[in-house]
PDB file of all heavy atoms in Angstrom:
ATOM      1  N   THR A 497     -22.552 -10.490 -15.072  1.00  0.00           N
ATOM      2  CA  THR A 497     -23.537 -11.223 -14.273  1.00  0.00           C
ATOM      3  C   THR A 497     -24.333 -10.466 -13.318  1.00  0.00           C
ATOM      4  O   THR A 497     -25.398 -10.869 -12.712  1.00  0.00           O
ATOM      5  CB  THR A 497     -22.729 -12.277 -13.302  1.00  0.00           C
ATOM      6  OG1 THR A 497     -21.596 -11.521 -12.675  1.00  0.00           O
ATOM      7  CG2 THR A 497     -22.077 -13.390 -14.200  1.00  0.00           C
ATOM      8  N   GLU A 498     -24.054  -9.116 -13.226  1.00  0.00           N
ATOM      9  CA  GLU A 498     -24.898  -8.334 -12.420  1.00  0.00           C
ATOM     10  C   GLU A 498     -26.113  -7.970 -13.091  1.00  0.00           C
ATOM     11  O   GLU A 498     -27.114  -7.480 -12.467  1.00  0.00           O
ATOM     12  CB  GLU A 498     -24.119  -7.027 -12.032  1.00  0.00           C
ATOM     13  CG  GLU A 498     -22.971  -7.170 -11.160  1.00  0.00           C
ATOM     14  CD  GLU A 498     -22.203  -5.860 -10.784  1.00  0.00           C
ATOM     15  OE1 GLU A 498     -22.996  -4.781 -10.697  1.00  0.00           O
ATOM     16  OE2 GLU A 498     -21.010  -5.814 -10.698  1.00  0.00           O
ATOM     17  N   GLY A 499     -26.211  -8.120 -14.405  1.00  0.00           N
ATOM     18  CA  GLY A 499     -27.452  -7.874 -15.223  1.00  0.00           C
ATOM     19  C   GLY A 499     -27.144  -6.921 -16.395  1.00  0.00           C
ATOM     20  O   GLY A 499     -28.100  -6.481 -17.060  1.00  0.00           O
ATOM     21  N   PHE A 500     -25.964  -6.545 -16.517  1.00  0.00           N
ATOM     22  CA  PHE A 500     -25.545  -5.693 -17.637  1.00  0.00           C
ATOM     23  C   PHE A 500     -25.483  -6.504 -19.020  1.00  0.00           C
ATOM     24  O   PHE A 500     -25.118  -7.708 -18.986  1.00  0.00           O
ATOM     25  CB  PHE A 500     -24.156  -5.002 -17.476  1.00  0.00           C
ATOM     26  CG  PHE A 500     -24.093  -4.012 -16.328  1.00  0.00           C
ATOM     27  CD1 PHE A 500     -23.466  -4.428 -15.091  1.00  0.00           C
ATOM     28  CD2 PHE A 500     -24.727  -2.908 -16.312  1.00  0.00           C
ATOM     29  CE1 PHE A 500     -23.438  -3.619 -14.033  1.00  0.00           C
ATOM     30  CE2 PHE A 500     -24.627  -2.001 -15.245  1.00  0.00           C
ATOM     31  CZ  PHE A 500     -24.013  -2.288 -14.105  1.00  0.00           C
ATOM     32  N   SER A 501     -25.866  -5.897 -20.081  1.00  0.00           N
ATOM     33  CA  SER A 501     -25.664  -6.446 -21.407  1.00  0.00           C
ATOM     34  C   SER A 501     -24.441  -6.073 -22.047  1.00  0.00           C
ATOM     35  O   SER A 501     -23.890  -6.701 -22.994  1.00  0.00           O
ATOM     36  CB  SER A 501     -26.929  -6.179 -22.267  1.00  0.00           C
ATOM     37  OG  SER A 501     -27.000  -4.809 -22.592  1.00  0.00           O
ATOM     38  N   ARG A 502     -23.873  -4.891 -21.687  1.00  0.00           N
ATOM     39  CA  ARG A 502     -22.747  -4.317 -22.231  1.00  0.00           C
ATOM     40  C   ARG A 502     -21.921  -3.465 -21.199  1.00  0.00           C
ATOM     41  O   ARG A 502     -22.495  -2.732 -20.482  1.00  0.00           O
ATOM     42  CB  ARG A 502     -23.003  -3.498 -23.424  1.00  0.00           C
ATOM     43  CG  ARG A 502     -21.861  -2.670 -24.107  1.00  0.00           C
ATOM     44  CD  ARG A 502     -22.306  -1.752 -25.182  1.00  0.00           C
ATOM     45  NE  ARG A 502     -21.142  -1.056 -25.712  1.00  0.00           N
ATOM     46  CZ  ARG A 502     -20.523  -1.301 -26.839  1.00  0.00           C
ATOM     47  NH1 ARG A 502     -20.866  -2.406 -27.543  1.00  0.00           N
ATOM     48  NH2 ARG A 502     -19.413  -0.643 -27.274  1.00  0.00           N
ATOM     49  N   ILE A 503     -20.622  -3.660 -21.069  1.00  0.00           N
ATOM     50  CA  ILE A 503     -19.818  -2.926 -20.202  1.00  0.00           C
ATOM     51  C   ILE A 503     -18.603  -2.388 -20.966  1.00  0.00           C
ATOM     52  O   ILE A 503     -17.918  -3.123 -21.688  1.00  0.00           O
ATOM     53  CB  ILE A 503     -19.257  -3.834 -18.977  1.00  0.00           C
ATOM     54  CG1 ILE A 503     -20.443  -4.452 -18.288  1.00  0.00           C
ATOM     55  CG2 ILE A 503     -18.440  -2.938 -18.121  1.00  0.00           C
ATOM     56  CD1 ILE A 503     -19.962  -5.394 -17.103  1.00  0.00           C
ATOM     57  N   THR A 504     -18.415  -1.036 -20.902  1.00  0.00           N
ATOM     58  CA  THR A 504     -17.262  -0.335 -21.584  1.00  0.00           C
ATOM     59  C   THR A 504     -16.396   0.185 -20.460  1.00  0.00           C
ATOM     60  O   THR A 504     -16.806   0.970 -19.629  1.00  0.00           O
ATOM     61  CB  THR A 504     -17.816   0.766 -22.412  1.00  0.00           C
ATOM     62  OG1 THR A 504     -18.653   0.238 -23.444  1.00  0.00           O
ATOM     63  CG2 THR A 504     -16.746   1.445 -23.209  1.00  0.00           C
ATOM     64  N   PHE A 505     -15.082  -0.312 -20.528  1.00  0.00           N
ATOM     65  CA  PHE A 505     -14.083   0.173 -19.543  1.00  0.00           C
ATOM     66  C   PHE A 505     -13.220   1.176 -20.200  1.00  0.00           C
ATOM     67  O   PHE A 505     -12.684   1.028 -21.295  1.00  0.00           O
ATOM     68  CB  PHE A 505     -13.235  -1.025 -19.160  1.00  0.00           C
ATOM     69  CG  PHE A 505     -13.886  -2.001 -18.289  1.00  0.00           C
ATOM     70  CD1 PHE A 505     -14.558  -3.095 -18.962  1.00  0.00           C
ATOM     71  CD2 PHE A 505     -13.906  -1.893 -16.857  1.00  0.00           C
ATOM     72  CE1 PHE A 505     -15.235  -4.171 -18.110  1.00  0.00           C
ATOM     73  CE2 PHE A 505     -14.631  -2.842 -16.101  1.00  0.00           C
ATOM     74  CZ  PHE A 505     -15.265  -3.860 -16.698  1.00  0.00           C
ATOM     75  N   CYS A 506     -13.124   2.320 -19.530  1.00  0.00           N
ATOM     76  CA  CYS A 506     -12.236   3.507 -20.131  1.00  0.00           C
ATOM     77  C   CYS A 506     -11.152   3.813 -19.037  1.00  0.00           C
ATOM     78  O   CYS A 506     -11.415   4.020 -17.991  1.00  0.00           O
ATOM     79  CB  CYS A 506     -13.108   4.727 -20.303  1.00  0.00           C
ATOM     80  SG  CYS A 506     -14.482   4.489 -21.410  1.00  0.00           S
ATOM     81  N   GLN A 507      -9.832   3.494 -19.529  1.00  0.00           N
ATOM     82  CA  GLN A 507      -8.757   3.783 -18.615  1.00  0.00           C
ATOM     83  C   GLN A 507      -7.926   4.983 -18.977  1.00  0.00           C
ATOM     84  O   GLN A 507      -6.907   5.329 -18.388  1.00  0.00           O
ATOM     85  CB  GLN A 507      -7.795   2.517 -18.645  1.00  0.00           C
ATOM     86  CG  GLN A 507      -8.177   1.433 -17.659  1.00  0.00           C
ATOM     87  CD  GLN A 507      -8.992   0.317 -18.303  1.00  0.00           C
ATOM     88  OE1 GLN A 507      -8.680  -0.120 -19.421  1.00  0.00           O
ATOM     89  NE2 GLN A 507     -10.012  -0.191 -17.766  1.00  0.00           N
ATOM     90  N   ASN A 508      -8.313   5.687 -20.040  1.00  0.00           N
ATOM     91  CA  ASN A 508      -7.576   6.874 -20.390  1.00  0.00           C
ATOM     92  C   ASN A 508      -8.472   7.762 -21.314  1.00  0.00           C
ATOM     93  O   ASN A 508      -9.674   7.448 -21.598  1.00  0.00           O
ATOM     94  CB  ASN A 508      -6.375   6.664 -21.206  1.00  0.00           C
ATOM     95  CG  ASN A 508      -6.646   5.704 -22.397  1.00  0.00           C
ATOM     96  OD1 ASN A 508      -7.388   6.027 -23.280  1.00  0.00           O
ATOM     97  ND2 ASN A 508      -5.932   4.590 -22.385  1.00  0.00           N
ATOM     98  N   GLU A 509      -8.161   8.937 -21.502  1.00  0.00           N
ATOM     99  CA  GLU A 509      -9.005   9.820 -22.223  1.00  0.00           C
ATOM    100  C   GLU A 509      -9.304   9.455 -23.673  1.00  0.00           C
ATOM    101  O   GLU A 509     -10.388   9.793 -24.215  1.00  0.00           O
ATOM    102  CB  GLU A 509      -8.352  11.399 -22.325  1.00  0.00           C
ATOM    103  CG  GLU A 509      -8.336  12.024 -20.926  1.00  0.00           C
ATOM    104  CD  GLU A 509      -9.772  12.319 -20.428  1.00  0.00           C
ATOM    105  OE1 GLU A 509     -10.661  12.429 -21.198  1.00  0.00           O
ATOM    106  OE2 GLU A 509      -9.895  12.391 -19.277  1.00  0.00           O
ATOM    107  N   ILE A 510      -8.462   8.739 -24.267  1.00  0.00           N
ATOM    108  CA  ILE A 510      -8.781   8.173 -25.606  1.00  0.00           C
ATOM    109  C   ILE A 510      -9.887   7.164 -25.539  1.00  0.00           C
ATOM    110  O   ILE A 510     -10.761   7.191 -26.331  1.00  0.00           O
ATOM    111  CB  ILE A 510      -7.462   7.441 -26.186  1.00  0.00           C
ATOM    112  CG1 ILE A 510      -6.359   8.477 -26.379  1.00  0.00           C
ATOM    113  CG2 ILE A 510      -7.776   6.836 -27.646  1.00  0.00           C
ATOM    114  CD1 ILE A 510      -5.035   7.889 -26.789  1.00  0.00           C
ATOM    115  N   ASP A 511      -9.891   6.351 -24.560  1.00  0.00           N
ATOM    116  CA  ASP A 511     -10.990   5.413 -24.344  1.00  0.00           C
ATOM    117  C   ASP A 511     -12.307   6.184 -23.993  1.00  0.00           C
ATOM    118  O   ASP A 511     -13.431   5.770 -24.610  1.00  0.00           O
ATOM    119  CB  ASP A 511     -10.779   4.530 -23.088  1.00  0.00           C
ATOM    120  CG  ASP A 511      -9.617   3.524 -23.364  1.00  0.00           C
ATOM    121  OD1 ASP A 511      -9.120   3.377 -24.506  1.00  0.00           O
ATOM    122  OD2 ASP A 511      -9.127   2.986 -22.427  1.00  0.00           O
TER     123      ASP A 511
END
Side-chain angles (χ1 to χ4, degrees):
T497 50
E498 293 181 39
F500 296 107
S501 61
R502 177 186 175 93
I503 303 175
T504 303
F505 293 90
C506 302
Q507 275 98 42
N508 54 59
E509 287 299 333
I510 297 174
D511 292 347

